[in-house]
Amino acid sequence: MFIAKNLAGIRVELRSHQQAATLSEESFTCPACGAPVRIKNGVQMPAHFAHIVGTCSASEPESQQHLLGKRWLQEWLSGRAEVAELEVYYPEIQQRADVVVTSRQPPLVLEFQCSPISVGDLARRTAGYHQLRLNVIWIMGRRYFGSHFGPKQYKFMADDLALWFLDSSRGILSHHQWQKQGWQTTHFTKAASRFRTRRFFDQAQQEQRQLESRLYYRDHTLLALQAVAYKQGHHLAGVPWEVHWAQTHLPGLPQPEWLMRAHWLLYFDNQPMTAAADLAFWNQYLALNAPLRHQAPVLEAVSHRWQQVLVAGGYLSGDGQWQRSLSWFPDGVHKRQAWAQARFQAN
């Protein structure tokens, strides 16, 4: 940690090796637990305080990545005319925030997460800040980097559907924002910022291969839906191609979007599509493992996009009345043959 209290009870922030050398003879304590801490002023790590014996609940051993990241965030914010404090301790919730932007009202907490954290701890710590009416953004370190976002990243996504990453060694803060046309990514350095948009592309054939593979290997989720399809005279592998078109590609869905659409088609195969019935269908997917955001807006977007596909295809009217049925294929072979024939005719 960079912050400790001296014998007069004044917060002291370590900012350099030179400063640390001048303070080496003084005594300091942890602002959270009051235990003695010492200055560590080695060559590899930034100068920092560490507990002489053990740690406390608000202060865990920190990596070089974490220490450098906190410092980088503070300096980056200062360059944007923000006032940021390091390691603010909140005794009411017994939590120490990595960085707090005090120039905003309410103050904004930035948590730089480099180590593993459970969904439960993530939810608890976030709830603690909200209890104090503090906004919080979670920023992920290197262990969370990747070209694709999976569950370990999605758990940090809040209601704004954004993900934040910090490469403290390179000094690059990345903001990934989900939008209808794709992910908009903005990279911030201390000197400048730049952004780009990564478009979504539907991968119908790849999804069809996954569908047939999961059925072949007797995936329990697909077999349960296959049983429903059989009762209604369909084969799940022959689900209409429309389920693959114009998906939202929203992160953190409980099932692939095409699979939820297939389920929807079977659900409404023998009943009218009313607003109440549609809501009841999507509500069954609400119990998701996403502690920082409400799932209803996400599922509303998925539902709205699916209805747009059906209306555009002439299957559903604007007021939700069926105009005509979608065509199921006898099986996956016939479905893929229809795709190949359509491509041949198009060329």
Side-chain angles (χ1 to χ4, degrees), residues 48 65 313 326:
H48 62 284
Q65 177 191 183
L326 285 84

Side-chain angles (χ1 to χ4, degrees), residues 28-340:
F28 299 93
T29 59
C30 172
C33 68
V37 295
R38 66 177 179 223
I39 294 176
K40 301 191 76 171
N41 196 17
V43 177
Q44 299 296 327
M45 301 276 283
H48 62 284
F49 295 103
H51 283 74
I52 295 175
V53 178
T55 61
C56 69
S57 60
S59 177
E60 300 174 352
E62 297 180 81
S63 64
Q64 181 185 40
Q65 177 191 183
H66 193 251
L67 288 168
L68 290 174
K70 290 191 298 185
R71 177 69 71 201
W72 189 94
L73 288 168
Q74 182 193 42
E75 293 174 352
W76 175 72
L77 287 162
S78 297
R80 298 169 67 88
E82 300 275 13
V83 178
E85 292 187 26
L86 289 177
E87 302 172 1
V88 178
Y89 179 65
Y90 296 99
E92 305 96 320
I93 56 174
Q94 297 184 346
Q95 291 178 202
R96 186 190 68 177
D98 286 334
V99 182
V100 179
V101 187
T102 56
S103 52
R104 299 193 182 186
Q105 290 301 323
L108 173 64
V109 171
L110 302 182
E111 285 284 10
F112 183 37
Q113 191 65 33
C114 300
S115 58
I117 184 172
S118 69
V119 170
D121 284 343
L122 179 62
R124 177 184 55 78
R125 289 170 61 182
T126 301
Y129 292 127
H130 289 169
Q131 176 186 328
L132 301 181
R133 302 186 184 280
L134 299 170
N135 294 324
V136 58
I137 290 175
W138 289 86
I139 302 172
M140 290 170 273
R142 277 197 302 269
R143 72 173 295 106
Y144 297 99
F145 290 2
S147 58
H148 300 285
F149 302 146
K152 72 176 183 179
Q153 291 93 6
Y154 292 152
K155 67 183 178 184
F156 292 98
M157 182 174 287
D159 285 335
D160 62 353
L161 301 181
L163 294 169
W164 291 85
F165 299 87
L166 174 60
D167 187 337
S168 56
S169 62
R170 298 171 60 203
I172 300 176
L173 176 67
S174 300
H175 174 251
H176 301 264
Q177 178 70 61
W178 182 87
Q179 297 181 341
K180 291 181 179 180
Q181 69 273 24
W183 282 101
Q184 179 174 293
T185 301
T186 305
H187 297 295
F188 299 95
T189 64
K190 290 181 182 177
S193 63
R194 56 186 176 85
F195 73 91
R196 64 181 176 86
T197 299
R198 185 173 67 191
R199 304 287 178 180
F200 292 134
F201 296 98
D202 290 316
Q203 299 176 316
Q205 288 183 295
Q206 179 179 332
E207 291 176 352
Q208 179 62 24
R209 288 194 294 269
Q210 291 174 352
L211 192 167
E212 295 183 60
S213 176
R214 289 175 63 177
L215 283 174
Y216 178 82
Y217 287 105
R218 304 188 63 79
D219 178 281
H220 293 300
T221 300
L222 264 67
L223 286 179
L225 199 57
Q226 175 77 302
V228 175
Y230 279 153
K231 289 181 180 179
Q232 297 174 206
H234 301 304
H235 193 299
L236 187 59
V239 66
W241 280 111
E242 283 81 358
V243 302
H244 306 286
W245 304 149
Q247 299 176 56
T248 65
H249 298 271
L250 269 162
L253 296 175
Q255 295 288 346
E257 194 165 349
W258 60 264
L259 181 57
M260 291 193 291
R261 288 178 172 189
H263 187 191
W264 188 96
L265 283 176
L266 293 170
Y267 186 86
F268 287 104
D269 192 49
N270 293 311
Q271 64 172 306
M273 206 293 289
T274 65
D278 183 62
L279 180 62
F281 171 84
W282 293 107
N283 277 348
Q284 68 185 296
Y285 289 109
L286 280 177
L288 305 182
N289 205 13
L292 306 186
R293 71 177 187 269
H294 298 291
Q295 293 307 307
V298 174
L299 294 175
E300 286 170 7
V302 172
S303 170
H304 180 69
R305 179 67 64 82
W306 176 225
Q307 290 191 37
Q308 285 181 320
V309 171
L310 295 175
V311 170
Y315 304 105
L316 206 65
S317 66
D319 59 359
Q321 300 300 312
W322 283 109
Q323 303 294 100
R324 62 190 181 100
S325 299
L326 285 84
S327 298
W328 286 70
F329 298 94
D331 50 39
V333 173
H334 287 82
K335 182 177 177 179
R336 285 182 274 107
Q337 288 175 345
W339 171 280

Side-chain angles (χ1 to χ4, degrees), residues 338-347:
W339 171 280
Q341 183 178 359
R343 292 292 299 272
F344 177 78
Q345 293 174 347
N347 294 329

